[in-house]
Amino acid sequence: MNNYGKTLKKIRVGKGFSQKYVSNNICTQGNFSKFELGENKDIKHSTLSEFLVRIETSYEEFRYIDNGYIMPLRDEIITNFYNQTYNNSENLLQLQRSCISFLKEFPDDNLINKIFIIIKSLTILANTNDFHSAKLLAEPIWTELSRRDDLYLSDIFLLNSILYIFPIETAVEMKKFAFRHIEKYKNFQNINRIKINFLINLSLLYLKNHDYHMALKQLENSIELCKIEKLFINLSICYIRKGICLNNLGHCGLYWQTKGMNMLEVLDEIELLSILETEIDKCSN
């Protein structure tokens, strides 16, 4: 918290709040003044949280401002990793470099170490399609998480990121396990996004196993959530795969494939469009 006092003062003054207002019924104005001057570094996190409520600033925004309006590297790694729509080799390489840079300074950060392992696993898969080697790297993470009585958001994100690496039976078990714990977060921000990613990843596994009925079931559930969250890239993927499923079930899926491809063109997602066109060709043979 070495710089937190200065950052708090910057925001407080910028918003026109007095020290008296911000510190009222939290601490003495004298102690608050010392905190702003960097003379009192023993402020509890709960006290800082109360200050932030007074200055109408979230902890995430506060840390962003404190870091010079730059997202801290750890947060950047986690955000970029969680927000991947598909495995782009260049993005994976950049994430790998960021992890290496961060772990040089903080080698014992468990979450970033797990993300680093998963990125290496996904890179192997993206470059060589070697599921066996990718699974060997990721399996200890699944083993550890499967023994937990409770999962939290970071655990659920990790599970989703390795789902695709495992056989369909294991992937289904992972999804059921994760969704039991996701239920606790049903009113939490953006929780539908993680559900969508699970369903989309599982649909691809079902497609690869030629189980088009189950793939379609995952996609229909995902489509409804994508519409609610207005996640148009994910929705495009679902439409294209829905078309693939319908074609293989003896129905005409061209409408859905075309709709999804047109959306990706509008969104300028050319690389993803190319990947899905290849997917269409493979599933048509």
Side-chain angles (χ1 to χ4, degrees), residues 161-172:
S161 65
I162 61 175
L163 178 84
Y164 175 71
I165 299 169
F166 289 82
I168 186 68
E169 297 80 11
T170 307
V172 171

Side-chain angles (χ1 to χ4, degrees), residues 24-276:
N24 186 41
N25 291 328
I26 299 175
C27 69
T28 66
Q29 186 175 339
N31 281 336
F32 180 76
S33 179
K34 287 179 180 179
F35 176 61
E36 286 195 336
L37 292 169
E39 296 172 4
N40 181 3
K41 299 175 183 177
D42 296 325
I43 293 289
K44 294 179 181 178
H45 191 277
S46 58
T47 304
L48 175 63
S49 297
E50 290 184 81
F51 291 156
L52 295 181
V53 170
R54 289 281 171 85
I55 63 171
E56 303 165 0
T57 306
S58 69
Y59 183 63
E60 290 75 17
E61 182 186 2
F62 181 78
R63 290 183 68 236
Y64 181 74
I65 296 169
D66 185 67
N67 201 50
Y69 292 92
I70 299 170
M71 185 179 289
L73 181 57
R74 187 178 192 273
D75 292 356
E76 183 182 329
I77 292 169
I78 293 169
T79 300
N80 290 340
F81 180 67
Y82 289 171
N83 288 339
Q84 284 196 114
T85 306
Y86 63 99
N87 294 328
N88 176 295
S89 296
E90 187 176 327
N91 290 346
L92 288 172
L93 181 60
Q94 183 56 51
L95 269 170
Q96 196 167 2
R97 288 171 178 160
S98 297
C99 286
I100 291 169
S101 177
F102 180 84
L103 290 170
K104 282 180 181 177
E105 190 171 354
F106 305 101
D108 298 324
D109 189 304
N110 282 331
L111 180 57
I112 302 301
N113 271 301
K114 287 173 184 172
I115 288 174
F116 183 49
I117 290 168
I118 292 171
I119 290 168
K120 288 198 290 185
S121 177
L122 295 175
T123 301
I124 290 171
L125 207 55
N127 293 337
T128 68
N129 209 35
D130 184 350
F131 277 86
H132 177 70
S133 297
K135 180 173 170 287
L136 283 177
L137 275 175
E139 199 156 29
I141 295 173
W142 163 231
T143 301
E144 178 193 335
L145 294 177
S146 67
R147 293 171 179 164
R148 300 262 184 95
D149 292 327
D150 290 295
L151 292 181
Y152 298 92
L153 278 183
S154 61
D155 307 321
I156 293 167
F157 273 108
L158 292 176
L159 271 184
N160 174 63
S161 65
I162 61 175
L163 178 84
Y164 175 71
I165 299 169
F166 289 82
I168 186 68
E169 297 80 11
T170 307
V172 171
E173 184 183 347
M174 286 179 175
K175 182 244 182 180
K176 290 179 179 177
F177 182 50
F179 271 44
R180 286 200 302 271
H181 297 278
I182 284 175
E183 186 60 25
K184 295 180 296 187
Y185 288 93
K186 60 185 177 183
N187 296 317
F188 196 74
Q189 58 186 2
N190 297 329
I191 195 62
N192 279 340
R193 297 189 178 210
I194 187 67
K195 285 185 176 181
I196 290 165
N197 288 335
F198 264 102
L199 293 167
I200 289 177
N201 286 340
L202 200 55
S203 75
L204 184 55
L205 280 175
Y206 278 121
L207 279 175
K208 287 181 175 293
N209 283 269
H210 310 294
D211 190 342
Y212 301 110
H213 285 288
M214 286 303 295
L216 188 58
K217 183 178 178 180
Q218 313 308 311
L219 292 166
E220 294 288 14
N221 290 335
S222 184
I223 285 169
E224 293 307 310
L225 293 174
C226 285
K227 288 178 179 177
I228 292 170
E229 298 297 322
K230 302 190 185 304
L231 295 176
F232 299 113
I233 294 176
N234 304 72
L235 185 60
S236 304
I237 296 170
C238 291
Y239 282 158
I240 291 170
R241 288 186 182 159
K242 179 177 179 176
I244 292 172
C245 290
L246 290 172
N247 284 337
N248 282 281
L249 290 170
H251 306 289
C252 182
L254 182 60
Y255 167 80
W256 295 104
Q257 287 178 359
T258 304
K259 186 173 184 176
M261 291 165 72
N262 287 342
M263 286 172 65
L264 288 176
E265 285 181 357
V266 170
L267 294 167
D268 204 25
E269 288 287 338
I270 306 305
E271 182 179 358
L272 179 55
L273 177 59
S274 176
I275 291 170
L276 287 164

Side-chain angles (χ1 to χ4, degrees), residues 13-25:
V13 173
K15 292 194 174 191
F17 296 133
S18 67
Q19 287 186 341
K20 182 179 179 180
Y21 167 74
V22 177
S23 62
N24 186 41
N25 291 328

